[in-house]
Amino acid sequence: MVVTRFSRLQHLLLLQPRFQQSRVLRHPLTRTPTLIRSVMGSSSSSSSKLLFRQLFEKESSTYTYLLADISHPDKPALLIDPVDKTVDRDLKLISELGLKLVYAMNTHVHADHVTGTGLLKTKVPGVKSVISKASGSKADKFVEHGERVSIGDLYLEVRATPGHTAGCVTYVTGEGADQPQPRMAFTGDAVLIRGCGRTDFQGGCADQLYESIFTLPKDTLIYPAHDYKGFEVSTVGEEMQHNPRLTKDKETFKTIMSNLNLAYPKMIDVALPANMVCGLQDLLPSQPN
Amino acid sequence: MVVTRFSRLQHLLLLQPRFQQSRVLRHPLTRTPTLIRSVMGSSSSSSSKLLFRQLFEKESSTYTYLLADISHPDKPALLIDPVDKTVDRDLKLISELGLKLVYAMNTHVHADHVTGTGLLKTKVPGVKSVISKASGSKADKFVEHGERVSIGDLYLEVRATPGHTAGCVTYVTGEGADQPQPRMAFTGDAVLIRGCGRTDFQGGCADQLYESIFTLPKDTLIYPAHDYKGFEVSTVGEEMQHNPRLTKDKETFKTIMSNLNLAYPKMIDVALPANMVCGLQDLLPSQPN
């Protein structure tokens, strides 16, 4: 009998009622609509603290995410997957909104564009670059599975989601009544909307990708690093039902991924060396780290 | 003394405390975070009923909006400013989400792309096209300032916001505890993020545009019909502070708008005749209305 990924995931979720329930019960201000939204699947996240913006870079179809805790006096902020070409746009917005940029984070070493983290560090002293330890890249702060990155009272949880590259992580907003509801997962290239990242270079592995996703509640919002069709957000539940690759059984998935015959990424020879040092290669040639 | 638009708008808002307060007091489930969010300015809207998606058409940088009441058994849905080229994408998403498309609406007669309403009507029998009466265009349903368009228990309020064209309207989500909080304004080309629509053709008028916007609460989310820099959303408060055109006094604004020297829109000769009949010109040649 072939056990499909979808049915196994449903099973996984059915094993988590206490997790779901405790989240609702612990909320001192719980009211029926919270539960309804959790069940029906919302398409935006609600929080009194979070300021959130999704920003788009058209040439590489990359999404950069801005998150800030606006209930904190400093309004500390972070950027996920900034692009070198749109750093000035992002910094202008951050300035207009009165935020203080603390972290410039990457979900992985990108092959299709140069990260904006290096430029951000030169333009905003004190900003720390962040990437996973497993990426093998340089950064000010390395993170591993299970760690947290905080801005004010908000935090992101780091989840290892290798497969597209060995060092891919997904950043997930925190759990609890004072964190955004539903949770938001910044999946990088691991899970795309109705797709997933290629697994044929940079230590990619279809097996790992297949095993590393979809353990979050169904209403979790998925914000990918790219979209090429004009979609901006999905949910774990939606991808479990409609993702044409990830709903297949594992062997079929591996066959699909090994037969994509994708072109060599046109930016890879520029982007990879730059991104392995977080975009700092030409900016800070004498910097040891 | 030159009275700037910003200071006049601040004054307008200060005159509306009863409106703001009554909205909070009437809410049977009011809790502190709702008020905080209202004051600090959120960047997403929360509702137990609303399913919301912003969709992007890259060539004309057009945003199409999908809204549905997922608490209603039929899950009735509407599209705002659909594009002919992305109708199949939109319908696939609507099908996957199990929604029933009821209305295909336009904020105005577009000059830069062909509306998808005609195609939607041929592909989904029963869908009604909607546009303002003042547009002079054809449609199944004409709306005027102050009217409502409902899907399930959710509704959009029609606000006349002429200036870019004589028939421009802004669709605003409803007011009240059972409607999305904060409110969402689909401004078409009237207000863009850090910009506004040109006012030099199709009955455009800088005077009218200037007078017709920014009467909504500061935390209202602004969702425009286009963005060319990768922004997706703003707020009334943000545009009141940072919009480089609309923060100027009226005479300066009119001078800016009359000196833009913009190129003739490359799609206008195709788009305008099509859009005046809601995109139906080649699809239903014998249809009288």
Side-chain angles (χ1 to χ4, degrees):
Chain A
M1 177 189 158
V2 175
V3 180
T4 68
R5 181 68 179 171
F6 181 38
S7 64
R8 284 203 292 132
L9 284 164
Q10 279 184 313
H11 185 63
L12 259 177
L13 282 159
L14 289 171
L15 290 175
Q16 296 187 325
R18 275 186 300 186
F19 167 73
Q20 292 266 10
Q21 196 177 26
S22 66
R23 186 162 61 129
V24 174
L25 292 178
R26 277 206 310 274
H27 194 321
L29 298 159
T30 296
R31 50 191 176 111
T32 312
T34 307
L35 187 58
I36 291 174
R37 193 171 65 228
S38 166
V39 173
M40 308 264 333
S42 176
S43 44
S44 67
S45 193
S46 161
S47 164
S48 58
K49 298 169 190 279
L50 175 68
L51 185 144
F52 172 66
R53 292 291 162 88
Q54 182 179 33
L55 302 154
F56 188 59
E57 197 284 308
K58 217 169 167 177
E59 198 177 320
S60 60
S61 292
T62 301
Y63 285 122
T64 296
Y65 298 95
L66 171 66
L67 290 88
D69 179 355
I70 52 170
S71 72
H72 188 281
D74 287 348
K75 298 187 182 176
L78 60 82
L79 285 169
I80 298 174
D81 289 333
V83 179
D84 60 345
K85 290 176 184 169
T86 41
V87 156
D88 288 339
R89 172 201 67 186
D90 301 347
L91 287 179
K92 190 173 180 210
L93 178 64
I94 286 167
S95 163
E96 287 175 348
L97 296 173
L99 311 176
K100 184 189 173 189
L101 185 63
V102 179
Y103 294 118
M105 308 171 65
N106 282 298
T107 52
H108 65 292
V109 176
H110 302 275
D112 59 346
H113 67 272
V114 176
T115 175
T117 48
L119 262 175
L120 285 164
K121 279 170 59 69
T122 63
K123 288 174 184 253
V124 188
V127 168
K128 289 199 187 320
S129 57
V130 181
I131 201 163
S132 75
K133 195 170 182 182
S135 70
S137 174
K138 290 188 177 178
D140 297 316
K141 182 179 167 72
F142 295 108
V143 287
E144 292 186 87
H145 183 85
E147 273 188 64
R148 292 181 176 189
V149 178
S150 296
I151 43 164
D153 293 332
L154 299 174
Y155 71 90
L156 294 174
E157 180 192 318
V158 180
R159 292 198 173 208
T161 48
H164 172 62
T165 73
C168 282
V169 294
T170 291
Y171 298 112
V172 188
T173 56
E175 198 196 346
D178 60 339
Q179 302 295 315
Q181 306 284 343
R183 298 178 82 178
M184 307 157 83
F186 303 95
T187 53
D189 289 7
V191 181
L192 303 176
I193 298 173
R194 309 295 191 266
C196 66
R198 63 196 294 176
T199 54
D200 57 344
F201 58 95
Q202 278 182 268
C205 168
D207 256 313
Q208 280 184 298
L209 177 60
Y210 199 90
E211 292 299 335
S212 63
I213 46 178
F214 289 162
T215 56
L216 286 157
K218 276 170 99 170
D219 66 350
T220 307
L221 299 165
I222 288 182
Y223 287 103
H226 303 284
D227 193 87
Y228 306 95
K229 291 183 180 170
F231 296 115
E232 295 176 358
V233 66
S234 183
T235 65
V236 165
E238 216 179 293
E239 293 310 311
M240 281 169 61
Q241 270 198 290
H242 301 296
N243 190 303
R245 291 180 187 171
L246 300 171
T247 47
K248 299 289 189 295
D249 66 87
K250 190 166 172 176
E251 286 312 308
T252 310
F253 172 74
K254 286 170 72 173
T255 306
I256 293 172
M257 295 311 290
S258 58
N259 286 288
L260 292 177
N261 299 318
L262 294 170
Y264 191 71
K266 57 185 174 185
M267 278 286 288
I268 196 168
D269 295 326
V270 175
L272 263 198
N275 292 340
M276 285 301 284
V277 288
C278 266
L280 291 169
Q281 78 299 344
D282 293 321
L283 303 165
L284 301 168
S286 62
Q287 182 142 319
N289 192 27
Chain B
M1 177 190 157
V2 176
V3 179
T4 67
R5 182 66 180 171
F6 181 38
S7 64
R8 284 199 294 129
L9 284 164
Q10 279 183 314
H11 184 64
L12 259 177
L13 282 160
L14 289 171
L15 290 174
Q16 296 186 325
R18 274 184 303 183
F19 166 73
Q20 293 265 12
Q21 197 176 27
S22 66
R23 187 163 58 130
V24 174
L25 291 178
R26 278 206 310 274
H27 194 321
L29 298 160
T30 296
R31 50 188 176 115
T32 313
T34 307
L35 188 59
I36 292 174
R37 193 172 65 229
S38 167
V39 174
M40 310 259 340
S42 177
S43 45
S44 67
S45 194
S46 161
S47 165
S48 57
K49 299 168 187 281
L50 175 69
L51 185 144
F52 172 66
R53 293 290 162 90
Q54 182 179 32
L55 302 154
F56 189 59
E57 197 284 307
K58 218 169 168 179
E59 198 177 320
S60 60
S61 292
T62 301
Y63 285 121
T64 296
Y65 298 96
L66 171 66
L67 289 89
D69 180 355
I70 51 170
S71 72
H72 189 281
D74 288 347
K75 297 188 183 177
L78 59 82
L79 285 169
I80 298 174
D81 290 333
V83 178
D84 60 346
K85 291 176 184 169
T86 41
V87 155
D88 288 337
R89 173 200 67 184
D90 301 346
L91 287 179
K92 189 173 181 211
L93 178 64
I94 286 167
S95 163
E96 286 174 348
L97 296 173
L99 311 177
K100 184 189 175 190
L101 185 63
V102 180
Y103 294 119
M105 309 171 65
N106 282 298
T107 51
H108 65 292
V109 176
H110 302 274
D112 59 345
H113 67 271
V114 175
T115 176
T117 49
L119 263 175
L120 285 164
K121 277 169 61 68
T122 64
K123 288 175 183 253
V124 187
V127 168
K128 289 199 186 322
S129 57
V130 181
I131 202 165
S132 76
K133 195 170 184 182
S135 70
S137 174
K138 290 188 178 177
D140 297 317
K141 181 179 168 72
F142 295 108
V143 288
E144 291 186 88
H145 182 85
E147 274 187 64
R148 292 181 177 190
V149 178
S150 295
I151 43 165
D153 293 332
L154 299 174
Y155 71 90
L156 294 174
E157 181 192 317
V158 180
R159 293 198 171 205
T161 47
H164 172 63
T165 73
C168 283
V169 293
T170 290
Y171 298 111
V172 188
T173 56
E175 197 195 346
D178 60 339
Q179 302 294 316
Q181 307 284 343
R183 299 177 80 177
M184 306 157 84
F186 302 94
T187 53
D189 290 7
V191 182
L192 303 176
I193 298 173
R194 309 295 191 265
C196 66
R198 62 196 295 176
T199 55
D200 57 344
F201 59 95
Q202 278 181 267
C205 168
D207 256 313
Q208 280 184 299
L209 177 60
Y210 200 90
E211 292 298 335
S212 63
I213 48 178
F214 289 163
T215 56
L216 286 158
K218 277 169 98 170
D219 67 350
T220 308
L221 299 165
I222 289 182
Y223 287 104
H226 303 284
D227 192 87
Y228 306 95
K229 291 182 181 170
F231 295 116
E232 295 176 359
V233 64
S234 183
T235 65
V236 165
E238 216 178 294
E239 294 309 311
M240 283 170 60
Q241 269 197 291
H242 301 296
N243 191 301
R245 293 180 186 170
L246 300 170
T247 46
K248 300 289 188 297
D249 65 87
K250 190 165 172 175
E251 286 313 307
T252 309
F253 173 74
K254 286 170 71 173
T255 306
I256 292 171
M257 296 310 290
S258 58
N259 287 287
L260 291 178
N261 300 317
L262 294 170
Y264 191 71
K266 57 186 175 184
M267 278 287 288
I268 195 168
D269 295 327
V270 175
L272 264 197
N275 292 340
M276 286 301 285
V277 288
C278 266
L280 291 169
Q281 79 298 346
D282 293 322
L283 304 165
L284 301 168
S286 62
Q287 180 141 320
N289 193 29

